[in-house]
Amino acid sequence: MGDVVGFRKRRRSRSRRRGLLETPWLIPALVVMAVAGFYGRDAISDATGLGLISNSSVAAGRGSFRECYTPLDRTCVIDGDTIRLKGEKIRLLDIDAPEVRDYKCASEKERGDRATLRLVEILNSGTVSIERKGSRDVDQYGRSLRIVQVDGRSAGGILVAEGLARPWSGKRRPWCL
């Protein structure tokens, strides 16, 4: 007799779980949320016609670039020398900017944050062109190596002139003294 009661209790809990999954609105709602999370943030950016084609200009509408918040963000600024354009990671070939994640000191983090925000402003200020240059196409982390220009000016060069980055010398140097 005790087995029958235990069986009924287990059966009831299973039916509750099954009932939740069989709710007619749950699965469609989860699908809509997943699609909106993946595409929704970049729908405006993608509508402006951004695309990565080497040695070409792409029109960047105002506000097309912003800071990256999740790995699902497709067009955004990761840090002062790395962007994501339609899902492709691009490393600005001509500069080295301070780190915002694996920083060695507070001043490096602070300068890296300023470089990131400034790069967002620069990229949103005009027509962005992406140019392949040199023999290396991809770095050790799988990022495309490109010169990024806005209205004919190097985005990296602007950061260097403002003291938020330095010219790339071929190797990383410390930002902390």
Side-chain angles (χ1 to χ4, degrees), residues 8 40 59-60 73 98 141 161:
R8 286 183 184 157
D73 291 337
Y141 303 107

Side-chain angles (χ1 to χ4, degrees), residues 55-68:
N55 298 322
S56 69
S57 292
V58 289
R62 281 228 182 269
S64 295
F65 285 90
R66 66 184 188 301
E67 282 187 84
C68 294

Side-chain angles (χ1 to χ4, degrees), residues 25-45:
W25 57 267
L26 183 63
I27 301 296
L30 291 173
V31 169
V32 167
M33 288 188 319
V35 169
F38 187 74
Y39 293 108
R41 290 180 174 211
D42 295 309
I44 295 170
S45 298

Side-chain angles (χ1 to χ4, degrees), residues 40-96:
R41 290 180 174 211
D42 295 309
I44 295 170
S45 298
D46 290 343
T48 63
L50 284 174
L52 178 60
I53 303 170
S54 296
N55 298 322
S56 69
S57 292
V58 289
R62 281 228 182 269
S64 295
F65 285 90
R66 66 184 188 301
E67 282 187 84
C68 294
Y69 296 107
T70 72
L72 298 178
D73 291 337
R74 300 188 65 221
T75 300
C76 55
V77 175
I78 296 171
D79 60 25
D81 57 21
T82 309
I83 65 172
R84 196 176 293 133
L85 183 60
K86 294 193 86 169
E88 182 173 2
K89 277 189 180 178
I90 299 172
R91 168 75 160 78
L92 278 66
L93 182 63
D94 54 347
I95 66 165
D96 178 34

Side-chain angles (χ1 to χ4, degrees), residues 1 10 15 26 49 57 84 86 88 93 96 111 114 123 129 151:
M1 184 99 178
R10 269 187 258 125
S15 67
L26 183 63
S57 292
R84 196 176 293 133
K86 294 193 86 169
E88 182 173 2
L93 182 63
D96 178 34
R111 183 181 274 171
R114 287 192 359 239
L123 294 173
S129 62
D151 293 336

